[in-house]
Amino acid sequence: MQTILGVAGWSGSGKTTLLEQLLPRWCQAGLQVSVIKHSHHRLDFDTPGKDSYRHRAAGAAQVMLLGEQGLAVYENLATPPDLAAQLARLQPVDLVVLEGQKWLPIPKIEVYRAALGKPLLQPDDTNIMAVASDTALDLPVPCLPLNHTDAIADFVLCWLKENK
C-alpha cells in the first residue's frame, strides 16, 4: 500500500505553488513521489486535428501518445475513477500526493490564506493533520508557516517515518 497525502484548500490558496516547492525537497530526501491533480473543469488534453484526436474522434476507447520523454493516455470516462482505481494507474512510489479531492478521508495538509475570505476546512475535517498558512492561527493541529517550505517538507518527512 502506498502512502497517500492530501493537499487541500480553496482555489487560489497556493496548493500547486506549495507542491512545486515541496517536490524537489522530498526528492532530495530520496523519496519517489507522484501527484494526482483533481480539477473541477472539463479536461481535454488533445488538440483538434492531431492524429491522436482524430483516433479518439473515430471511436478509439483509448489513445496512447508516446514520445521520447514520456507518454499520455487519452481516455473518455463516464464517471471519474475512485481513489483505488486512480492509484492502480500509477507506478509504486513512496508517496502519492493528491492535490484536491479534499472530500476524501485521507491524511491532509490544508493550505490556507486568510485573504481569500474562505473558511478553514480544518474544523470540519478531522483528516487534516496540519495547516500551512500565511497567518498565525490557534488550532488543535500544527500550524506551519506557508512561506517556510522546509518546515512543511520536514513535517511530512517526519510523518512518513512515523507511519511506516
Side-chain angles (χ1 to χ4, degrees):
M1 178 80 178
Q2 300 184 81
T3 302
I4 303 164
L5 173 68
V7 175
W10 297 100
S11 179
S13 62
K15 298 179 300 293
T16 299
T17 301
L18 178 61
L19 277 175
E20 193 175 31
Q21 296 168 353
L22 290 172
L23 285 163
R25 287 166 170 81
W26 292 334
C27 292
Q28 287 171 351
L31 294 180
Q32 286 189 308
V33 184
S34 291
V35 176
I36 298 174
K37 164 71 176 162
H38 179 262
S39 177
H40 292 286
H41 307 289
R42 183 182 182 279
L43 301 178
D44 195 359
F45 301 105
D46 217 351
T47 305
K50 293 292 185 181
D51 294 350
S52 53
Y53 182 92
R54 292 170 56 195
H55 295 314
R56 280 185 41 215
Q62 292 181 313
V63 176
M64 180 181 289
L65 184 60
L66 181 63
E68 295 297 319
Q69 299 295 315
L71 66 88
V73 176
Y74 302 114
E75 180 176 359
N76 295 323
L77 301 171
T79 59
D82 65 12
L83 181 57
Q86 293 171 47
L87 294 172
R89 291 174 174 258
L90 296 176
Q91 298 174 11
V93 293
D94 301 306
L95 177 64
V96 176
V97 179
L98 273 60
E99 182 184 337
Q101 301 191 74
K102 60 187 170 209
W103 60 87
L104 290 176
I106 59 169
K108 298 177 196 101
I109 292 179
E110 178 177 355
V111 179
Y112 178 77
R113 289 191 187 274
L116 285 178
K118 300 281 190 177
L120 276 161
L121 303 172
Q122 187 278 322
D124 297 322
D125 187 343
T126 58
N127 293 298
I128 293 175
M129 59 183 183
V131 175
S133 176
D134 60 352
T135 187
L137 300 168
D138 184 20
L139 299 172
V141 298
C143 187
L144 307 167
L146 188 54
N147 62 352
H148 196 320
T149 311
D150 286 335
I152 301 167
D154 289 344
F155 177 87
V156 172
L157 291 171
C158 288
W159 171 75
L160 285 169
K161 281 183 185 176
E162 292 171 3
N163 291 286
K164 275 198 168 188

